[in-house]
Amino acid sequence: MARPSGIQFLNLRLVDNTDMSDGSRKLIVTEMLRLFRGVTRQWLEIFPSSQFLMVQPTFHPGDLKDTDLRCFILRNQERSVVRRLRGNGISLGGGGSYAQTDLGAVSEVYDSAFGADYVTECAVIFHELMHNKLQMGNEMHTDGDVGFGIASAEVEDARGLGRRSLGINGTNERAMAKVLLKPVRLYSGGWSDRIPLLYVLAYWLTDSTQLSGHSTVPCSLGSLLWPPNSV
């Protein structure tokens, strides 16, 4: 069967909380395009009767679809959306984190962890998006079907990494390709949005929250109601 004509676009929405320069944004967009090139190639092999697919990284806001990819680029851990939704007791990754919440899935990275090393930062962005699309917690880091490589825990930690440690491999690409258009409910708010009161009360009354792949920790009502005041 011939492949249908035309191209379908998959938005990768990058939410910048750091006021980075246009030049830095272009570097990140270019590197994310490189990382997803092999993924889309694998996708075309897996789905030969579908339209061509192109992942489109963008810093422009827009209507969020459940097939989109989305990642917050935050200045530091103190601005963590994951921590605001899950409480201050949550353990965050050194370079990025992922969580499933009742308001949708969240992927985030911490720009201060990388300095000027945008290659490592983009590797961690891709890693957190894998958590998001595969709907996997820490078990992803050691799952042979996912392929280790850029899915490993060392990438998420982001400390002492060199570029050779970040290699995305064919198994990583194929695992991501299989779920690339899988609908995932994403958190659609901004980093400083107030969390709905009913959501806060539900977690307060149960007295605990759960981050995918991490242990249960006490919930902080104050941290859910307000964004951090110190950043």
Side-chain angles (χ1 to χ4, degrees), residues 6 10 17 35 52 65 70 74 84 132 146 150 168 196 209:
L10 175 63
N17 172 248
L35 287 170
F52 284 101
K65 302 175 183 177
R70 191 181 197 226
L74 306 170
R84 289 188 56 245
N132 205 318
V146 178
I150 205 169
I168 184 170
T209 61

Side-chain angles (χ1 to χ4, degrees), residues 8-143:
Q8 53 183 324
F9 292 94
L10 175 63
N11 289 316
L12 164 52
R13 300 202 177 275
L14 300 165
V15 185
D16 176 26
N17 172 248
T18 69
D19 298 322
M20 67 177 60
S21 67
D22 288 342
S24 295
R25 288 186 174 191
K26 288 177 182 177
L27 289 172
I28 287 177
V29 166
T30 300
E31 181 62 13
M32 294 311 301
L33 283 170
R34 185 191 72 81
L35 287 170
F36 273 98
R37 188 179 303 138
V39 177
T40 54
R41 192 182 303 121
Q42 292 275 5
W43 188 89
L44 291 171
E45 292 180 6
I46 296 169
F47 305 104
S49 61
S50 298
Q51 283 183 310
F52 284 101
L53 177 68
M54 180 176 290
V55 176
Q56 184 171 262
T58 178
F59 282 90
H60 297 294
D63 293 335
L64 192 63
K65 302 175 183 177
D66 59 4
T67 53
D68 282 350
L69 299 153
R70 191 181 197 226
C71 187
F72 288 89
I73 302 176
L74 306 170
R75 186 165 295 149
N76 49 45
Q77 289 184 343
E78 292 179 347
R79 297 198 171 200
S80 171
V81 177
V82 166
R83 188 163 276 173
R84 289 188 56 245
L85 292 173
R86 288 303 202 189
N88 285 331
I90 283 298
S91 175
L92 302 175
S97 302
Y98 155 81
Q100 273 287 355
T101 81
D102 287 348
L103 297 180
V106 181
S107 294
E108 63 186 28
V109 298
Y110 316 119
D111 189 66
S112 61
F114 308 102
D117 186 0
Y118 69 90
V119 173
T120 304
E121 185 162 12
C122 288
V124 179
I125 290 173
F126 189 94
H127 176 102
E128 301 307 338
L129 293 174
M130 287 188 77
H131 276 298
N132 205 318
K133 276 293 185 179
L134 291 165
Q135 296 287 278
M136 296 177 73
N138 285 347
E139 69 273 14
M140 183 186 84
H141 301 155
T142 55
D143 190 318

Side-chain angles (χ1 to χ4, degrees), residues 168-220:
I168 184 170
N169 60 47
T171 308
N172 296 151
E173 292 171 342
R174 192 165 184 83
M176 192 64 160
K178 289 178 180 178
V179 295
L180 203 52
L181 291 182
K182 176 183 176 181
V184 174
R185 182 169 172 252
L186 300 172
Y187 173 64
S188 60
W191 83 271
S192 61
D193 288 359
R194 291 188 66 178
I195 308 303
L197 182 59
L198 288 177
Y199 176 84
V200 175
L201 289 176
Y203 274 93
W204 181 56
L205 290 172
T206 57
D207 197 37
S208 66
T209 61
Q210 180 68 36
L211 175 64
S212 178
H214 291 263
S215 59
T216 303
V217 297
C219 174
S220 168

